[in-house]
Amino acid sequence: MSSARIPLIAGNWKMHETIAEAEQLIAALLPALSTVSGVDVAICPPFLALQAMVESTRGSRVQVYAQNMHHAPEGAYTGEVAAPMLTEVGVHGVLLGHSERREMFGESDRELAQKLPVALDAGLTPVLCVGETEDERERGDTERKLRHQVQEDLAHVPDDQLGDLVIAYEPIWAIGTGQVATPEQAEEAIGFIRALVADRAPEQAERTRLLYGGSVNPDNAAELLALPDVDGALVGGASLDATSFAAIVAAG
Ligand code: PGA
């Protein structure tokens, strides 16, 4: 990774951890991270545990991100959560467009295009997730898919804010499967994403942090994180174990 960009290791807890369980996990994680430096760390707990995790991580290097957000500041959107509700409890960032939300909950590029500028305006660091399915990779459509997602989802982000974004490349076939992308596949896709951002604003693209996600674990993290365009990792399963997650952070 480039020395100009501080690496970010983010743990996506998905729909795991009650508040009581989250307290146990963070109590194990914080001491394991105490010697780490030069890397940003975020956890993405479920909504209900956000406030407790903000309080438990206060004064530590760990930031707290939400897993989703609605674009409207308030309104008749049953079951949704708005940016001011996240910032009120001290949340620092938000995952947007995770493939599970796209595939299982019908999240569209149109919605994501609305959400990204709202998150940035609220002072939340957005982590936009993009990536191809196994079929798309086999058909040779990886770049077409990534181009479509990046161009559509960032359509309303002003050029001068592109550097404030985080984009996670998560090939869908690698998520939760134990089948990690090869370093060549990861670098090729992430380099392509950086080039797409550079098409709009070359100097901003040097600041945009690009993460790899999909079956990252303590054994494969160092190799992935050493790639020139990879600025960190979005970690699912392995982030639920304090020792594993701390080992991945140490590799960053
Ligand atoms: P995984 O999940 O690390 O369990 O593959 C990654 C993700 O979905 O963000």
Side-chain angles (χ1 to χ4, degrees), residues 152-187:
E152 297 282 314
D153 300 353
L154 303 188
H156 306 315
V157 176
D159 283 358
D160 64 359
Q161 290 189 324
L162 288 169
D164 300 331
L165 284 176
V166 180
I167 304 176
Y169 167 62
E170 296 207 307
I172 294 168
W173 47 270
I175 294 178
T177 58
Q179 194 191 341
V180 67
T182 65
E184 294 72 28
Q185 288 170 328
E187 177 61 24

Side-chain angles (χ1 to χ4, degrees), residues 12 14 98 100 170 174-177 213-216 234-238:
N12 176 10
K14 308 193 179 185
H98 189 280
E100 286 154 15
E170 296 207 307
I175 294 178
T177 58
S215 296
V216 176
L234 182 55
V235 185

Side-chain angles (χ1 to χ4, degrees), residues 39-61:
V39 45
D40 289 343
V41 182
I43 54 169
C44 314
F47 285 128
L48 279 172
L50 286 173
Q51 186 164 13
M53 290 304 96
V54 167
E55 280 160 21
S56 296
T57 55
R58 213 180 289 284
S60 81
R61 63 182 314 102

Side-chain angles (χ1 to χ4, degrees), residues 4-252:
R5 297 182 293 268
I6 298 171
L8 170 65
I9 310 293
N12 176 10
W13 292 2
K14 308 193 179 185
M15 199 175 74
H16 296 282
E17 312 303 325
T18 63
I19 296 174
E21 290 163 350
E23 293 289 13
Q24 286 183 359
L25 181 50
I26 199 68
L29 189 58
L30 290 178
L33 295 178
S34 61
T35 56
V36 169
S37 66
V39 45
D40 289 343
V41 182
I43 54 169
C44 314
F47 285 128
L48 279 172
L50 286 173
Q51 186 164 13
M53 290 304 96
V54 167
E55 280 160 21
S56 296
T57 55
R58 213 180 289 284
S60 81
R61 63 182 314 102
V62 177
Q63 294 203 325
V64 179
Y65 287 20
Q67 297 175 15
N68 184 28
M69 182 201 84
H70 196 273
H71 66 84
E74 62 178 354
Y77 301 105
T78 302
E80 292 289 320
V81 170
M85 299 170 183
L86 298 176
T87 54
E88 182 186 38
V89 297
V91 165
H92 303 98
V94 60
L95 302 183
L96 292 174
H98 189 280
S99 62
E100 286 154 15
R101 296 222 52 85
R102 293 178 188 260
E103 293 204 317
M104 292 188 255
F105 304 102
E107 174 125 46
S108 66
D109 291 309
R110 208 170 143 268
E111 284 172 278
L112 288 162
Q114 293 179 285
K115 291 182 181 194
L116 275 149
V118 171
L120 286 164
D121 285 349
L124 294 163
T125 299
V127 181
L128 173 69
C129 304
V130 297
E132 80 287 1
T133 63
E134 189 163 26
D135 274 1
E136 286 164 338
R137 177 161 283 272
E138 279 169 6
R139 286 202 306 265
D141 275 346
T142 299
E143 292 196 348
R144 188 198 57 78
K145 175 73 170 293
L146 295 177
R147 183 183 300 109
H148 178 83
Q149 289 184 323
V150 170
Q151 287 180 349
E152 297 282 314
D153 300 353
L154 303 188
H156 306 315
V157 176
D159 283 358
D160 64 359
Q161 290 189 324
L162 288 169
D164 300 331
L165 284 176
V166 180
I167 304 176
Y169 167 62
E170 296 207 307
I172 294 168
W173 47 270
I175 294 178
T177 58
Q179 194 191 341
V180 67
T182 65
E184 294 72 28
Q185 288 170 328
E187 177 61 24
E188 190 179 19
I190 290 175
F192 180 70
I193 292 169
R194 196 175 305 283
L196 291 172
V197 179
D199 280 346
R200 289 204 25 206
E203 64 299 339
Q204 293 290 321
E206 287 304 307
R207 292 206 299 125
T208 309
R209 288 189 290 181
L210 302 181
L211 314 184
Y212 169 79
S215 296
V216 176
N217 63 38
D219 296 329
N220 59 32
E223 190 177 28
L224 290 160
L225 292 168
L227 296 167
D229 276 301
V230 176
D231 306 314
L234 182 55
V235 185
S239 72
L240 298 172
D241 179 81
T243 311
S244 297
F245 189 61
I248 295 168
V249 172

